[in-house]
mmCIF file of all heavy atoms in Angstrom:
data_model
loop_
_atom_site.group_PDB
_atom_site.id
_atom_site.type_symbol
_atom_site.label_atom_id
_atom_site.label_comp_id
_atom_site.label_asym_id
_atom_site.label_seq_id
_atom_site.Cartn_x
_atom_site.Cartn_y
_atom_site.Cartn_z
ATOM 1 N N ASP A 1141 125.707 74.352 109.073
ATOM 2 C CA ASP A 1141 126.999 73.988 109.647
ATOM 3 C C ASP A 1141 127.069 74.443 111.111
ATOM 4 O O ASP A 1141 126.460 75.432 111.492
ATOM 5 C CB ASP A 1141 128.156 74.659 108.892
ATOM 6 C CG ASP A 1141 128.533 73.878 107.636
ATOM 7 O OD1 ASP A 1141 128.007 72.786 107.436
ATOM 8 O OD2 ASP A 1141 129.375 74.407 106.878
ATOM 9 N N TYR A 1142 127.917 73.767 111.852
ATOM 10 C CA TYR A 1142 128.184 74.158 113.231
ATOM 11 C C TYR A 1142 129.510 74.873 113.325
ATOM 12 O O TYR A 1142 130.456 74.525 112.627
ATOM 13 C CB TYR A 1142 128.187 72.944 114.149
ATOM 14 C CG TYR A 1142 126.789 72.411 114.343
ATOM 15 C CD1 TYR A 1142 126.230 71.553 113.396
ATOM 16 C CD2 TYR A 1142 126.015 72.822 115.405
ATOM 17 C CE1 TYR A 1142 124.936 71.093 113.530
ATOM 18 C CE2 TYR A 1142 124.726 72.353 115.567
ATOM 19 C CZ TYR A 1142 124.179 71.473 114.620
ATOM 20 O OH TYR A 1142 122.906 71.066 114.769
ATOM 21 N N VAL A 1143 129.569 75.892 114.186
ATOM 22 C CA VAL A 1143 130.790 76.637 114.405
ATOM 23 C C VAL A 1143 131.040 76.667 115.914
ATOM 24 O O VAL A 1143 130.252 77.201 116.668
ATOM 25 C CB VAL A 1143 130.670 78.077 113.875
ATOM 26 C CG1 VAL A 1143 131.907 78.892 114.253
ATOM 27 C CG2 VAL A 1143 130.507 78.067 112.367
ATOM 28 N N ALA A 1144 132.152 76.022 116.331
ATOM 29 C CA ALA A 1144 132.485 75.971 117.748
ATOM 30 C C ALA A 1144 133.643 76.943 118.004
ATOM 31 O O ALA A 1144 134.730 76.756 117.477
ATOM 32 C CB ALA A 1144 132.891 74.541 118.121
ATOM 33 N N VAL A 1145 133.360 77.971 118.749
ATOM 34 C CA VAL A 1145 134.370 79.018 119.004
ATOM 35 C C VAL A 1145 135.107 78.710 120.306
ATOM 36 O O VAL A 1145 134.491 78.451 121.340
ATOM 37 C CB VAL A 1145 133.703 80.410 119.088
ATOM 38 C CG1 VAL A 1145 134.753 81.469 119.385
ATOM 39 C CG2 VAL A 1145 132.994 80.719 117.785
ATOM 40 N N PHE A 1146 136.430 78.702 120.207
ATOM 41 C CA PHE A 1146 137.263 78.385 121.359
ATOM 42 C C PHE A 1146 137.869 79.664 121.957
ATOM 43 O O PHE A 1146 138.035 80.667 121.265
ATOM 44 C CB PHE A 1146 138.368 77.423 120.956
ATOM 45 C CG PHE A 1146 137.858 76.023 120.764
ATOM 46 C CD1 PHE A 1146 137.110 75.702 119.649
ATOM 47 C CD2 PHE A 1146 138.090 75.042 121.705
ATOM 48 C CE1 PHE A 1146 136.609 74.420 119.471
ATOM 49 C CE2 PHE A 1146 137.632 73.746 121.518
ATOM 50 C CZ PHE A 1146 136.882 73.455 120.399
ATOM 51 N N ASN A 1147 138.234 79.560 123.222
ATOM 52 C CA ASN A 1147 138.810 80.739 123.868
ATOM 53 C C ASN A 1147 140.321 80.668 123.903
ATOM 54 O O ASN A 1147 140.970 81.513 124.495
ATOM 55 C CB ASN A 1147 138.258 80.937 125.280
ATOM 56 C CG ASN A 1147 138.490 79.715 126.137
ATOM 57 O OD1 ASN A 1147 138.906 78.673 125.627
ATOM 58 N ND2 ASN A 1147 138.249 79.829 127.432
ATOM 59 N N SER A 1148 140.903 79.628 123.293
ATOM 60 C CA SER A 1148 142.350 79.544 123.339
ATOM 61 C C SER A 1148 142.872 78.844 122.095
ATOM 62 O O SER A 1148 142.285 77.868 121.620
ATOM 63 C CB SER A 1148 142.802 78.807 124.599
ATOM 64 O OG SER A 1148 143.711 77.777 124.291
ATOM 65 N N VAL A 1149 143.952 79.383 121.539
ATOM 66 C CA VAL A 1149 144.523 78.789 120.337
ATOM 67 C C VAL A 1149 145.032 77.372 120.628
ATOM 68 O O VAL A 1149 144.968 76.486 119.797
ATOM 69 C CB VAL A 1149 145.635 79.708 119.743
ATOM 70 C CG1 VAL A 1149 146.795 79.852 120.667
ATOM 71 C CG2 VAL A 1149 146.094 79.192 118.416
ATOM 72 N N HIS A 1150 145.530 77.164 121.864
ATOM 73 C CA HIS A 1150 146.035 75.832 122.212
ATOM 74 C C HIS A 1150 144.915 74.817 122.224
ATOM 75 O O HIS A 1150 145.069 73.686 121.761
ATOM 76 C CB HIS A 1150 146.759 75.868 123.547
ATOM 77 C CG HIS A 1150 147.984 76.716 123.495
ATOM 78 N ND1 HIS A 1150 149.113 76.319 122.827
ATOM 79 C CD2 HIS A 1150 148.247 77.944 123.987
ATOM 80 C CE1 HIS A 1150 150.030 77.266 122.916
ATOM 81 N NE2 HIS A 1150 149.511 78.281 123.613
ATOM 82 N N ARG A 1151 143.776 75.203 122.759
ATOM 83 C CA ARG A 1151 142.648 74.290 122.829
ATOM 84 C C ARG A 1151 142.111 73.966 121.433
ATOM 85 O O ARG A 1151 141.789 72.815 121.139
ATOM 86 C CB ARG A 1151 141.528 74.877 123.707
ATOM 87 C CG ARG A 1151 141.847 74.753 125.210
ATOM 88 C CD ARG A 1151 140.845 75.545 126.027
ATOM 89 N NE ARG A 1151 139.482 75.012 125.953
ATOM 90 C CZ ARG A 1151 139.041 74.007 126.690
ATOM 91 N NH1 ARG A 1151 139.824 73.442 127.538
ATOM 92 N NH2 ARG A 1151 137.793 73.589 126.574
ATOM 93 N N VAL A 1152 142.059 74.957 120.588
ATOM 94 C CA VAL A 1152 141.509 74.676 119.251
ATOM 95 C C VAL A 1152 142.465 73.763 118.465
ATOM 96 O O VAL A 1152 142.056 72.874 117.735
ATOM 97 C CB VAL A 1152 141.187 75.997 118.485
ATOM 98 C CG1 VAL A 1152 142.359 76.584 117.828
ATOM 99 C CG2 VAL A 1152 140.086 75.748 117.471
ATOM 100 N N MET A 1153 143.766 73.968 118.669
ATOM 101 C CA MET A 1153 144.736 73.112 117.986
ATOM 102 C C MET A 1153 144.692 71.677 118.511
ATOM 103 O O MET A 1153 144.832 70.712 117.775
ATOM 104 C CB MET A 1153 146.143 73.687 118.108
ATOM 105 C CG MET A 1153 146.342 74.912 117.201
ATOM 106 S SD MET A 1153 147.830 75.813 117.628
ATOM 107 C CE MET A 1153 148.810 75.568 116.177
ATOM 108 N N GLU A 1154 144.498 71.571 119.817
ATOM 109 C CA GLU A 1154 144.411 70.249 120.408
ATOM 110 C C GLU A 1154 143.144 69.538 119.909
ATOM 111 O O GLU A 1154 143.185 68.346 119.549
ATOM 112 C CB GLU A 1154 144.349 70.405 121.930
ATOM 113 C CG GLU A 1154 145.030 69.278 122.673
ATOM 114 C CD GLU A 1154 144.937 69.509 124.191
ATOM 115 O OE1 GLU A 1154 145.170 70.659 124.624
ATOM 116 O OE2 GLU A 1154 144.648 68.542 124.912
ATOM 117 N N ALA A 1155 142.069 70.279 119.843
ATOM 118 C CA ALA A 1155 140.817 69.718 119.342
ATOM 119 C C ALA A 1155 140.966 69.303 117.881
ATOM 120 O O ALA A 1155 140.511 68.235 117.473
ATOM 121 C CB ALA A 1155 139.684 70.741 119.488
ATOM 122 N N GLU A 1156 141.651 70.113 117.099
ATOM 123 C CA GLU A 1156 141.856 69.807 115.685
ATOM 124 C C GLU A 1156 142.658 68.485 115.552
ATOM 125 O O GLU A 1156 142.300 67.607 114.785
ATOM 126 C CB GLU A 1156 142.638 70.936 115.002
ATOM 127 C CG GLU A 1156 142.886 70.687 113.519
ATOM 128 C CD GLU A 1156 143.783 71.707 112.846
ATOM 129 O OE1 GLU A 1156 144.638 72.302 113.571
ATOM 130 O OE2 GLU A 1156 143.641 71.937 111.654
ATOM 131 N N ARG A 1157 143.732 68.371 116.347
ATOM 132 C CA ARG A 1157 144.539 67.147 116.283
ATOM 133 C C ARG A 1157 143.706 65.924 116.648
ATOM 134 O O ARG A 1157 143.740 64.903 115.956
ATOM 135 C CB ARG A 1157 145.710 67.258 117.263
ATOM 136 C CG ARG A 1157 146.990 67.734 116.627
ATOM 137 C CD ARG A 1157 148.207 67.454 117.553
ATOM 138 N NE ARG A 1157 148.070 68.156 118.818
ATOM 139 C CZ ARG A 1157 148.492 69.398 119.019
ATOM 140 N NH1 ARG A 1157 149.066 70.074 118.067
ATOM 141 N NH2 ARG A 1157 148.335 69.977 120.212
ATOM 142 N N LEU A 1158 142.956 66.029 117.710
ATOM 143 C CA LEU A 1158 142.142 64.932 118.197
ATOM 144 C C LEU A 1158 141.141 64.474 117.115
ATOM 145 O O LEU A 1158 141.028 63.293 116.802
ATOM 146 C CB LEU A 1158 141.376 65.396 119.439
ATOM 147 C CG LEU A 1158 140.280 64.475 119.971
ATOM 148 C CD1 LEU A 1158 140.907 63.328 120.743
ATOM 149 C CD2 LEU A 1158 139.298 65.230 120.860
ATOM 150 N N LEU A 1159 140.469 65.426 116.506
ATOM 151 C CA LEU A 1159 139.413 65.086 115.540
ATOM 152 C C LEU A 1159 140.016 64.600 114.211
ATOM 153 O O LEU A 1159 139.464 63.708 113.568
ATOM 154 C CB LEU A 1159 138.483 66.264 115.332
ATOM 155 C CG LEU A 1159 137.749 66.731 116.607
ATOM 156 C CD1 LEU A 1159 137.061 68.064 116.399
ATOM 157 C CD2 LEU A 1159 136.742 65.667 117.062
ATOM 158 N N LYS A 1160 141.148 65.204 113.828
ATOM 159 C CA LYS A 1160 141.769 64.778 112.602
ATOM 160 C C LYS A 1160 142.337 63.349 112.744
ATOM 161 O O LYS A 1160 142.339 62.594 111.779
ATOM 162 C CB LYS A 1160 142.892 65.735 112.216
ATOM 163 C CG LYS A 1160 142.376 67.087 111.750
ATOM 164 C CD LYS A 1160 142.737 67.286 110.277
ATOM 165 C CE LYS A 1160 141.964 68.444 109.691
ATOM 166 N NZ LYS A 1160 142.743 69.681 109.757
ATOM 167 N N ASP A 1161 142.820 63.024 113.915
ATOM 168 C CA ASP A 1161 143.303 61.669 114.136
ATOM 169 C C ASP A 1161 142.185 60.647 113.932
ATOM 170 O O ASP A 1161 142.407 59.522 113.568
ATOM 171 C CB ASP A 1161 143.841 61.502 115.574
ATOM 172 C CG ASP A 1161 145.238 62.118 115.703
ATOM 173 O OD1 ASP A 1161 145.839 62.456 114.649
ATOM 174 O OD2 ASP A 1161 145.723 62.279 116.832
ATOM 175 N N LYS A 1162 140.967 61.086 114.159
ATOM 176 C CA LYS A 1162 139.794 60.212 113.963
ATOM 177 C C LYS A 1162 139.249 60.354 112.543
ATOM 178 O O LYS A 1162 138.133 59.908 112.249
ATOM 179 C CB LYS A 1162 138.679 60.564 114.954
ATOM 180 C CG LYS A 1162 139.092 60.522 116.398
ATOM 181 C CD LYS A 1162 139.188 59.103 116.925
ATOM 182 C CE LYS A 1162 139.572 59.120 118.373
ATOM 183 N NZ LYS A 1162 139.955 57.788 118.867
ATOM 184 N N LYS A 1163 139.998 61.058 111.679
ATOM 185 C CA LYS A 1163 139.634 61.236 110.280
ATOM 186 C C LYS A 1163 138.312 61.976 110.091
ATOM 187 O O LYS A 1163 137.588 61.735 109.114
ATOM 188 C CB LYS A 1163 139.568 59.875 109.529
ATOM 189 C CG LYS A 1163 140.777 58.981 109.732
ATOM 190 C CD LYS A 1163 141.879 59.353 108.726
ATOM 191 C CE LYS A 1163 143.078 58.473 108.870
ATOM 192 N NZ LYS A 1163 144.323 59.199 109.004
ATOM 193 N N LEU A 1164 137.980 62.807 111.023
ATOM 194 C CA LEU A 1164 136.740 63.579 110.881
ATOM 195 C C LEU A 1164 136.997 64.833 110.050
ATOM 196 O O LEU A 1164 138.037 65.492 110.218
ATOM 197 C CB LEU A 1164 136.203 63.961 112.262
ATOM 198 C CG LEU A 1164 135.680 62.780 113.076
ATOM 199 C CD1 LEU A 1164 135.370 63.194 114.493
ATOM 200 C CD2 LEU A 1164 134.448 62.191 112.422
ATOM 201 N N LYS A 1165 136.096 65.140 109.148
ATOM 202 C CA LYS A 1165 136.304 66.264 108.257
ATOM 203 C C LYS A 1165 135.875 67.578 108.888
ATOM 204 O O LYS A 1165 134.813 68.137 108.574
ATOM 205 C CB LYS A 1165 135.561 66.021 106.928
ATOM 206 C CG LYS A 1165 136.207 64.925 106.107
ATOM 207 C CD LYS A 1165 135.703 64.905 104.693
ATOM 208 C CE LYS A 1165 136.478 65.903 103.837
ATOM 209 N NZ LYS A 1165 136.052 65.885 102.444
ATOM 210 N N ILE A 1166 136.721 68.016 109.780
ATOM 211 C CA ILE A 1166 136.466 69.340 110.417
ATOM 212 C C ILE A 1166 137.490 70.316 109.865
ATOM 213 O O ILE A 1166 138.469 69.903 109.270
ATOM 214 C CB ILE A 1166 136.588 69.240 111.961
ATOM 215 C CG1 ILE A 1166 137.934 68.617 112.343
ATOM 216 C CG2 ILE A 1166 135.453 68.430 112.548
ATOM 217 C CD1 ILE A 1166 138.991 69.535 112.738
ATOM 218 N N LEU A 1167 137.228 71.582 110.048
ATOM 219 C CA LEU A 1167 138.188 72.577 109.579
ATOM 220 C C LEU A 1167 138.303 73.691 110.600
ATOM 221 O O LEU A 1167 137.311 74.183 111.113
ATOM 222 C CB LEU A 1167 137.680 73.155 108.230
ATOM 223 C CG LEU A 1167 138.601 74.145 107.522
ATOM 224 C CD1 LEU A 1167 139.901 73.479 107.063
ATOM 225 C CD2 LEU A 1167 137.909 74.760 106.318
ATOM 226 N N VAL A 1168 139.552 74.059 110.889
ATOM 227 C CA VAL A 1168 139.767 75.219 111.763
ATOM 228 C C VAL A 1168 139.645 76.448 110.875
ATOM 229 O O VAL A 1168 140.289 76.542 109.848
ATOM 230 C CB VAL A 1168 141.147 75.193 112.440
ATOM 231 C CG1 VAL A 1168 141.392 76.477 113.198
ATOM 232 C CG2 VAL A 1168 141.242 74.005 113.378
ATOM 233 N N ILE A 1169 138.810 77.373 111.276
ATOM 234 C CA ILE A 1169 138.584 78.578 110.487
ATOM 235 C C ILE A 1169 138.694 79.812 111.397
ATOM 236 O O ILE A 1169 138.592 79.676 112.611
ATOM 237 C CB ILE A 1169 137.183 78.602 109.822
ATOM 238 C CG1 ILE A 1169 136.087 78.502 110.899
ATOM 239 C CG2 ILE A 1169 137.020 77.485 108.815
ATOM 240 C CD1 ILE A 1169 134.703 78.818 110.375
ATOM 241 N N PRO A 1170 138.932 80.965 110.833
ATOM 242 C CA PRO A 1170 138.846 82.169 111.658
ATOM 243 C C PRO A 1170 137.382 82.290 112.089
ATOM 244 O O PRO A 1170 136.490 82.100 111.262
ATOM 245 C CB PRO A 1170 139.191 83.309 110.694
ATOM 246 C CG PRO A 1170 139.584 82.689 109.411
ATOM 247 C CD PRO A 1170 139.199 81.254 109.406
ATOM 248 N N ALA A 1171 137.134 82.559 113.330
ATOM 249 C CA ALA A 1171 135.745 82.671 113.788
ATOM 250 C C ALA A 1171 135.055 83.766 112.981
ATOM 251 O O ALA A 1171 135.641 84.828 112.759
ATOM 252 C CB ALA A 1171 135.704 83.002 115.258
ATOM 253 N N PRO A 1172 133.875 83.500 112.479
ATOM 254 C CA PRO A 1172 133.174 84.518 111.683
ATOM 255 C C PRO A 1172 133.132 85.849 112.431
ATOM 256 O O PRO A 1172 132.994 85.856 113.655
ATOM 257 C CB PRO A 1172 131.756 83.921 111.525
ATOM 258 C CG PRO A 1172 131.957 82.451 111.646
ATOM 259 C CD PRO A 1172 133.087 82.279 112.629
ATOM 260 N N ARG A 1173 133.245 86.924 111.672
ATOM 261 C CA ARG A 1173 133.420 88.222 112.311
ATOM 262 C C ARG A 1173 132.281 88.564 113.257
ATOM 263 O O ARG A 1173 132.465 89.251 114.257
ATOM 264 C CB ARG A 1173 133.626 89.320 111.278
ATOM 265 C CG ARG A 1173 134.751 90.248 111.685
ATOM 266 C CD ARG A 1173 134.864 91.422 110.747
ATOM 267 N NE ARG A 1173 135.347 90.997 109.438
ATOM 268 C CZ ARG A 1173 135.403 91.816 108.399
ATOM 269 N NH1 ARG A 1173 134.990 93.049 108.520
ATOM 270 N NH2 ARG A 1173 135.874 91.397 107.254
ATOM 271 N N ALA A 1174 131.107 88.080 112.914
ATOM 272 C CA ALA A 1174 129.948 88.380 113.745
ATOM 273 C C ALA A 1174 130.109 87.757 115.145
ATOM 274 O O ALA A 1174 129.471 88.198 116.098
ATOM 275 C CB ALA A 1174 128.701 87.847 113.084
ATOM 276 N N LEU A 1175 130.944 86.747 115.256
ATOM 277 C CA LEU A 1175 131.059 86.027 116.518
ATOM 278 C C LEU A 1175 132.392 86.267 117.215
ATOM 279 O O LEU A 1175 132.524 86.069 118.401
ATOM 280 C CB LEU A 1175 130.963 84.506 116.288
ATOM 281 C CG LEU A 1175 129.826 84.022 115.413
ATOM 282 C CD1 LEU A 1175 129.940 82.526 115.205
ATOM 283 C CD2 LEU A 1175 128.492 84.355 116.083
ATOM 284 N N ALA A 1176 133.399 86.598 116.437
ATOM 285 C CA ALA A 1176 134.761 86.583 116.963
ATOM 286 C C ALA A 1176 134.944 87.583 118.094
ATOM 287 O O ALA A 1176 134.497 88.723 118.022
ATOM 288 C CB ALA A 1176 135.751 86.941 115.857
ATOM 289 N N ALA A 1177 135.575 87.138 119.119
ATOM 290 C CA ALA A 1177 135.877 88.025 120.219
ATOM 291 C C ALA A 1177 137.391 88.101 120.371
ATOM 292 O O ALA A 1177 138.015 88.960 119.760
ATOM 293 C CB ALA A 1177 135.235 87.507 121.498
ATOM 294 N N ASP A 1178 137.945 87.210 121.146
ATOM 295 C CA ASP A 1178 139.357 87.325 121.459
ATOM 296 C C ASP A 1178 140.254 86.501 120.535
ATOM 297 O O ASP A 1178 140.908 87.034 119.661
ATOM 298 C CB ASP A 1178 139.592 86.964 122.925
ATOM 299 C CG ASP A 1178 138.621 85.884 123.392
ATOM 300 O OD1 ASP A 1178 138.097 85.159 122.529
ATOM 301 O OD2 ASP A 1178 138.381 85.782 124.620
ATOM 302 N N CYS A 1179 140.254 85.213 120.753
ATOM 303 C CA CYS A 1179 141.210 84.385 120.006
ATOM 304 C C CYS A 1179 140.785 84.227 118.560
ATOM 305 O O CYS A 1179 141.591 84.150 117.649
ATOM 306 C CB CYS A 1179 141.441 83.067 120.705
ATOM 307 S SG CYS A 1179 141.268 81.598 119.718
ATOM 308 N N GLY A 1180 139.477 84.196 118.352
ATOM 309 C CA GLY A 1180 139.007 84.250 116.972
ATOM 310 C C GLY A 1180 139.182 82.995 116.145
ATOM 311 O O GLY A 1180 139.274 83.060 114.933
ATOM 312 N N LEU A 1181 139.281 81.838 116.799
ATOM 313 C CA LEU A 1181 139.415 80.610 116.033
ATOM 314 C C LEU A 1181 138.216 79.703 116.337
ATOM 315 O O LEU A 1181 137.695 79.701 117.446
ATOM 316 C CB LEU A 1181 140.695 79.864 116.391
ATOM 317 C CG LEU A 1181 141.965 80.501 115.878
ATOM 318 C CD1 LEU A 1181 143.157 79.813 116.467
ATOM 319 C CD2 LEU A 1181 142.011 80.452 114.360
ATOM 320 N N ALA A 1182 137.864 78.955 115.342
ATOM 321 C CA ALA A 1182 136.681 78.089 115.510
ATOM 322 C C ALA A 1182 136.858 76.803 114.725
ATOM 323 O O ALA A 1182 137.673 76.716 113.806
ATOM 324 C CB ALA A 1182 135.440 78.815 115.016
ATOM 325 N N LEU A 1183 136.078 75.803 115.114
ATOM 326 C CA LEU A 1183 136.022 74.556 114.344
ATOM 327 C C LEU A 1183 134.715 74.588 113.571
ATOM 328 O O LEU A 1183 133.679 74.929 114.134
ATOM 329 C CB LEU A 1183 135.966 73.339 115.265
ATOM 330 C CG LEU A 1183 137.200 72.899 115.996
ATOM 331 C CD1 LEU A 1183 136.872 71.635 116.782
ATOM 332 C CD2 LEU A 1183 138.320 72.595 115.028
ATOM 333 N N ARG A 1184 134.783 74.213 112.322
ATOM 334 C CA ARG A 1184 133.559 74.103 111.541
ATOM 335 C C ARG A 1184 133.278 72.637 111.262
ATOM 336 O O ARG A 1184 134.216 71.900 110.903
ATOM 337 C CB ARG A 1184 133.761 74.834 110.195
ATOM 338 C CG ARG A 1184 132.541 74.757 109.305
ATOM 339 C CD ARG A 1184 132.901 75.077 107.874
ATOM 340 N NE ARG A 1184 133.622 73.974 107.255
ATOM 341 C CZ ARG A 1184 134.040 73.964 105.969
ATOM 342 N NH1 ARG A 1184 133.806 74.995 105.212
ATOM 343 N NH2 ARG A 1184 134.676 72.937 105.477
ATOM 344 N N TYR A 1185 132.094 72.188 111.464
ATOM 345 C CA TYR A 1185 131.726 70.826 111.078
ATOM 346 C C TYR A 1185 130.270 70.771 110.680
ATOM 347 O O TYR A 1185 129.480 71.674 111.001
ATOM 348 C CB TYR A 1185 132.032 69.831 112.200
ATOM 349 C CG TYR A 1185 131.535 70.180 113.588
ATOM 350 C CD1 TYR A 1185 130.272 69.788 114.020
ATOM 351 C CD2 TYR A 1185 132.338 70.920 114.466
ATOM 352 C CE1 TYR A 1185 129.819 70.105 115.286
ATOM 353 C CE2 TYR A 1185 131.887 71.242 115.720
ATOM 354 C CZ TYR A 1185 130.635 70.837 116.150
ATOM 355 O OH TYR A 1185 130.177 71.181 117.402
ATOM 356 N N SER A 1186 129.934 69.710 109.960
ATOM 357 C CA SER A 1186 128.571 69.604 109.452
ATOM 358 C C SER A 1186 127.692 68.799 110.409
ATOM 359 O O SER A 1186 128.203 68.116 111.306
ATOM 360 C CB SER A 1186 128.601 68.969 108.061
ATOM 361 O OG SER A 1186 129.304 67.770 108.122
ATOM 362 N N GLU A 1187 126.408 68.893 110.174
ATOM 363 C CA GLU A 1187 125.418 68.267 111.024
ATOM 364 C C GLU A 1187 125.698 66.761 111.246
ATOM 365 O O GLU A 1187 125.625 66.265 112.364
ATOM 366 C CB GLU A 1187 124.043 68.455 110.350
ATOM 367 C CG GLU A 1187 122.887 67.715 110.998
ATOM 368 C CD GLU A 1187 122.332 68.482 112.211
ATOM 369 O OE1 GLU A 1187 122.037 69.666 112.030
ATOM 370 O OE2 GLU A 1187 122.193 67.880 113.296
ATOM 371 N N ASP A 1188 126.090 66.069 110.170
ATOM 372 C CA ASP A 1188 126.260 64.613 110.277
ATOM 373 C C ASP A 1188 127.429 64.233 111.178
ATOM 374 O O ASP A 1188 127.509 63.078 111.629
ATOM 375 C CB ASP A 1188 126.411 63.971 108.881
ATOM 376 C CG ASP A 1188 127.543 64.610 108.095
ATOM 377 O OD1 ASP A 1188 127.713 65.836 108.170
ATOM 378 O OD2 ASP A 1188 128.253 63.860 107.392
ATOM 379 N N LEU A 1189 128.332 65.157 111.457
ATOM 380 C CA LEU A 1189 129.469 64.838 112.320
ATOM 381 C C LEU A 1189 129.235 65.301 113.752
ATOM 382 O O LEU A 1189 130.019 65.009 114.651
ATOM 383 C CB LEU A 1189 130.739 65.536 111.803
ATOM 384 C CG LEU A 1189 131.220 65.180 110.419
ATOM 385 C CD1 LEU A 1189 132.483 65.944 110.109
ATOM 386 C CD2 LEU A 1189 131.508 63.667 110.335
ATOM 387 N N ARG A 1190 128.148 66.009 113.948
ATOM 388 C CA ARG A 1190 127.964 66.712 115.211
ATOM 389 C C ARG A 1190 128.127 65.786 116.422
ATOM 390 O O ARG A 1190 128.901 66.076 117.343
ATOM 391 C CB ARG A 1190 126.606 67.406 115.256
ATOM 392 C CG ARG A 1190 126.463 68.207 116.520
ATOM 393 C CD ARG A 1190 125.132 68.868 116.681
ATOM 394 N NE ARG A 1190 125.123 69.573 117.951
ATOM 395 C CZ ARG A 1190 124.057 70.046 118.543
ATOM 396 N NH1 ARG A 1190 122.902 69.943 117.971
ATOM 397 N NH2 ARG A 1190 124.163 70.652 119.722
ATOM 398 N N GLU A 1191 127.386 64.690 116.388
ATOM 399 C CA GLU A 1191 127.359 63.812 117.565
ATOM 400 C C GLU A 1191 128.766 63.333 117.896
ATOM 401 O O GLU A 1191 129.223 63.411 119.038
ATOM 402 C CB GLU A 1191 126.445 62.631 117.253
ATOM 403 C CG GLU A 1191 125.798 62.027 118.468
ATOM 404 C CD GLU A 1191 124.759 61.006 118.077
ATOM 405 O OE1 GLU A 1191 123.897 61.282 117.210
ATOM 406 O OE2 GLU A 1191 124.821 59.900 118.640
ATOM 407 N N GLU A 1192 129.445 62.833 116.855
ATOM 408 C CA GLU A 1192 130.763 62.264 117.080
ATOM 409 C C GLU A 1192 131.786 63.318 117.547
ATOM 410 O O GLU A 1192 132.541 63.090 118.490
ATOM 411 C CB GLU A 1192 131.247 61.626 115.773
ATOM 412 C CG GLU A 1192 132.304 60.590 115.972
ATOM 413 C CD GLU A 1192 132.660 59.874 114.674
ATOM 414 O OE1 GLU A 1192 131.927 60.010 113.673
ATOM 415 O OE2 GLU A 1192 133.696 59.199 114.665
#
Side-chain angles (χ1 to χ4, degrees):
Chain A
D1141 277 353
Y1142 288 83
V1143 174
V1145 178
F1146 285 74
N1147 57 350
S1148 129
V1149 64
H1150 295 288
R1151 283 171 66 82
V1152 83
M1153 285 167 115
E1154 214 179 317
E1156 180 187 29
R1157 264 195 300 272
L1158 170 79
L1159 299 169
K1160 289 245 167 95
D1161 282 349
K1162 304 283 181 192
K1163 310 275 181 232
L1164 291 171
K1165 290 194 85 177
I1166 52 100
L1167 185 65
V1168 174
I1169 59 167
R1173 224 186 290 172
L1175 312 176
D1178 32 23
C1179 129
L1181 288 171
L1183 286 182
R1184 180 198 73 179
Y1185 49 90
S1186 53
E1187 174 81 51
D1188 55 321
L1189 298 181
R1190 185 183 178 193
E1191 208 171 312
E1192 202 174 347

